[in-house]
Amino acid sequence: MEVLYSSTRSNGSAVKASQAILKGLSDDGGLFVPDHIPALDKTLKELSEMNYQQVAYEVMKLYLTDFTEEELKTCIERAYDKKFDTEVIAPLVEAEGAYYLELFHGSTIAFKDMALSILPHLMITSARKNNIKNEIVILTATSGDTGKAALAGFADVEGTRIIVFYPKNGVSPIQEKQMVTQKGANTLVVGIHGNFDDAQTGVKKIFGDKALAAEMDEKGFQFSSANSINIGRLVPQICYYVYSYATLLKEGKIAEGEKINVVVPTGNFGNILAAFYAKNMGLPINKLICASNDNKVLYDFFTTGTYDRNREFMLTTSPSMDILISSNLERLIYRIAGNNADANKALMTSLSAEGKYEITAEMKAELADFYGNYASEAETAAEIKRLYESCGYVLDTHTSVASAVYQKYVAESGDTTKTVIASTASPFKFTRSVMNAIDEKYDAMGDFELVDELSKIANVKVPQAIEDIRSAAVVHDVQCDVDKMQATVKQFLGM
């Protein structure tokens, strides 16, 4: 059955998957959502006998219904190949009775690789399907990981250019070095003087500028997005939750149909939304546990029903979660509002104008599947140390937030349901914070000395992504104020 995509903010005509992927964001500023969430058409037992690429096909074919089998399988084969350092793509590691779903085995050692390895292939295929002649300009705001993963995916891809904006003082040293050393004639990395929300708002403003879009078209360009607002980012993320369940079933850790809980460290809400979609496809998920850091806007939302970004922005050791406007939450709001675009638009207008909105009691009742909590900086560090001393397994700061929140959930609920924790980044991406949490004596070491020490104590090989930047030259040193973002884009495009 064909799946079409419409905007969360209007009742206009629906578009095919390839058109939604190309546009990224709807013309009215809304996000594209499927007209229905398709049900899995393979049994859990059948899925348990498949490898990652096969599971990915079985999930994605249900959403990307205007792609042929050959087109989709080619995209999957090109994405999930030797750039991942393990054949299983997303291994499950058991530690203290929980199952950590390691999503960081791609070329930039963060979970964004899982979707951004395939997005360029989906986008180029979509352009071909829709007879697009313009050069596609990928415009992305990043809190640290999306930027590098998108750059790696799109670098030197014919018919595309990519511009990444990141908060100059809001990412880890390793994250920044990964981005500013990126090669590729079609790439530009810009550090903005502001935080991630400033970067994201600036990018959305550029997307919404109709005069700029017309000028771009005249010059042979059109914008698209690699952020998780793009449905081509969200759909591939559903796959690894299905795969994790299939793996547990294959290994005899669960019985077919047995429910699991899923814990996700959450910033922009795309990763946990993918788990929610998986649940609604028929995957036996019980609780969706949303873990926040000190920027606990989502915890407060799930607790009170009010989303309020009017608060101090905290810089933490889990920078990819340092977000006060969780863009993908809009897709959930639209759904719990009964797929009512007008009701959703009113709430988003309130968020834009007043920085907050409140959902109805009926909508709040629709959130029963979710549990929200947060971990402070001290709790995040303590959890890294605790798990390492307990079993030798080393978490990055974001996964530690999830792990700490999971401990709180179990203590509160007594729920012993088997649990998958999304492990969203390699500890090597945040070595200083990780090593300081284990022992403060490490703070005297240099960044790459810490990398080698972490490798030694965790008994894990240094990822190639880190080896590659040890001596890499800085290629991008552009910075700008938020109000100069559009001018920076135009300059790069020679407009």
Side-chain angles (χ1 to χ4, degrees), residues 32-106:
F32 285 111
V33 283
D35 58 4
H36 67 283
I37 294 180
L40 291 167
D41 64 359
K42 290 285 189 288
T43 67
L44 299 168
K45 178 77 168 60
E46 286 173 318
L47 291 165
S48 74
E49 292 161 357
M50 298 179 188
N51 65 19
Y52 190 87
Q53 292 84 344
Q54 290 165 329
V55 170
Y57 174 73
E58 293 302 330
V59 173
M60 285 195 248
K61 73 173 188 188
L62 301 172
Y63 286 93
L64 309 181
T65 51
D66 64 328
F67 283 68
T68 67
E69 180 177 348
E70 184 187 3
E71 285 171 338
L72 193 48
K73 283 185 172 174
T74 298
C75 290
I76 288 167
E77 283 164 19
R78 288 177 178 169
Y80 304 113
D81 60 6
K82 296 294 185 195
K83 71 173 79 67
F84 286 83
D85 66 17
T86 168
E87 275 187 29
V88 296
I89 307 297
L92 271 175
V93 176
E94 187 174 356
E96 277 197 345
Y99 298 91
Y100 290 83
L101 177 61
E102 292 189 345
L103 300 170
F104 53 75
H105 288 273

Side-chain angles (χ1 to χ4, degrees), residues 121-191:
H121 303 293
L122 294 176
M123 201 164 274
I124 295 305
T125 305
S126 296
R128 209 162 40 237
K129 292 174 79 67
N130 289 278
N131 300 311
I132 298 298
K133 301 290 185 261
N134 283 345
E135 200 167 345
I136 297 165
V137 180
I138 304 298
L139 196 60
T140 290
T142 185
S143 52
D145 287 339
T146 287
K148 174 58 183 178
L151 286 161
F154 281 94
D156 291 324
V157 171
E158 197 176 339
T160 69
R161 297 201 200 185
I162 177 164
I163 305 166
V164 170
F165 291 99
Y166 74 96
K168 179 65 185 131
N169 296 310
V171 300
S172 80
I174 297 283
Q175 283 178 310
E176 182 171 47
K177 187 145 194 204
Q178 280 189 303
M179 286 190 284
V180 299
T181 57
Q182 177 65 51
K183 294 175 182 174
N186 65 335
T187 65
L188 176 67
V189 179
V190 184

Side-chain angles (χ1 to χ4, degrees), residues 30-328:
L31 277 60
F32 285 111
V33 283
D35 58 4
H36 67 283
I37 294 180
L40 291 167
D41 64 359
K42 290 285 189 288
T43 67
L44 299 168
K45 178 77 168 60
E46 286 173 318
L47 291 165
S48 74
E49 292 161 357
M50 298 179 188
N51 65 19
Y52 190 87
Q53 292 84 344
Q54 290 165 329
V55 170
Y57 174 73
E58 293 302 330
V59 173
M60 285 195 248
K61 73 173 188 188
L62 301 172
Y63 286 93
L64 309 181
T65 51
D66 64 328
F67 283 68
T68 67
E69 180 177 348
E70 184 187 3
E71 285 171 338
L72 193 48
K73 283 185 172 174
T74 298
C75 290
I76 288 167
E77 283 164 19
R78 288 177 178 169
Y80 304 113
D81 60 6
K82 296 294 185 195
K83 71 173 79 67
F84 286 83
D85 66 17
T86 168
E87 275 187 29
V88 296
I89 307 297
L92 271 175
V93 176
E94 187 174 356
E96 277 197 345
Y99 298 91
Y100 290 83
L101 177 61
E102 292 189 345
L103 300 170
F104 53 75
H105 288 273
S107 55
T108 74
I109 58 175
F111 82 102
K112 308 292 172 74
D113 286 324
M114 300 299 295
L116 281 163
S117 292
I118 194 168
L119 183 61
H121 303 293
L122 294 176
M123 201 164 274
I124 295 305
T125 305
S126 296
R128 209 162 40 237
K129 292 174 79 67
N130 289 278
N131 300 311
I132 298 298
K133 301 290 185 261
N134 283 345
E135 200 167 345
I136 297 165
V137 180
I138 304 298
L139 196 60
T140 290
T142 185
S143 52
D145 287 339
T146 287
K148 174 58 183 178
L151 286 161
F154 281 94
D156 291 324
V157 171
E158 197 176 339
T160 69
R161 297 201 200 185
I162 177 164
I163 305 166
V164 170
F165 291 99
Y166 74 96
K168 179 65 185 131
N169 296 310
V171 300
S172 80
I174 297 283
Q175 283 178 310
E176 182 171 47
K177 187 145 194 204
Q178 280 189 303
M179 286 190 284
V180 299
T181 57
Q182 177 65 51
K183 294 175 182 174
N186 65 335
T187 65
L188 176 67
V189 179
V190 184
I192 67 147
H193 305 138
N195 61 37
F196 170 73
D197 287 332
D198 297 324
Q200 183 166 254
T201 301
V203 163
K204 283 188 171 180
K205 193 173 172 185
I206 293 170
F207 268 115
D209 190 323
K210 301 284 193 292
L212 178 61
E215 190 182 344
M216 295 265 297
D217 188 50
E218 199 178 300
K219 302 281 188 184
F221 299 114
Q222 69 185 66
F223 284 130
S224 191
S225 169
N227 278 74
S228 56
I229 54 175
N230 192 314
I231 200 72
R233 267 280 304 275
L234 188 62
V235 169
Q237 291 180 272
I238 301 168
C239 303
Y240 47 71
Y241 293 109
V242 177
Y243 179 73
S244 67
Y245 189 97
T247 301
L248 289 174
L249 182 56
K250 179 184 182 178
E251 293 177 354
K253 302 289 171 58
I254 55 173
E256 187 170 6
E258 182 180 343
K259 288 195 170 183
I260 62 168
N261 290 334
V262 173
V263 190
V264 187
T266 309
N268 219 19
F269 207 76
N271 204 5
I272 195 163
L273 183 72
F276 173 78
Y277 276 28
K279 177 180 169 82
N280 282 274
M281 293 177 78
L283 197 70
I285 293 174
N286 177 37
K287 278 288 181 191
L288 295 156
I289 299 169
C290 179
S292 300
N293 65 13
D294 275 327
N295 290 293
K296 55 189 179 69
V297 65
L298 286 166
Y299 164 64
D300 292 341
F301 168 71
F302 282 114
T303 306
T304 66
T306 298
Y307 192 97
D308 188 353
R309 63 152 300 190
N310 299 309
R311 62 185 69 205
E312 184 186 354
F313 182 90
M314 314 281 276
L315 286 173
T316 74
T317 54
S318 46
S320 297
M321 298 161 68
D322 291 345
I323 293 172
L324 295 181
I325 303 176
S326 300
S327 287
N328 266 291

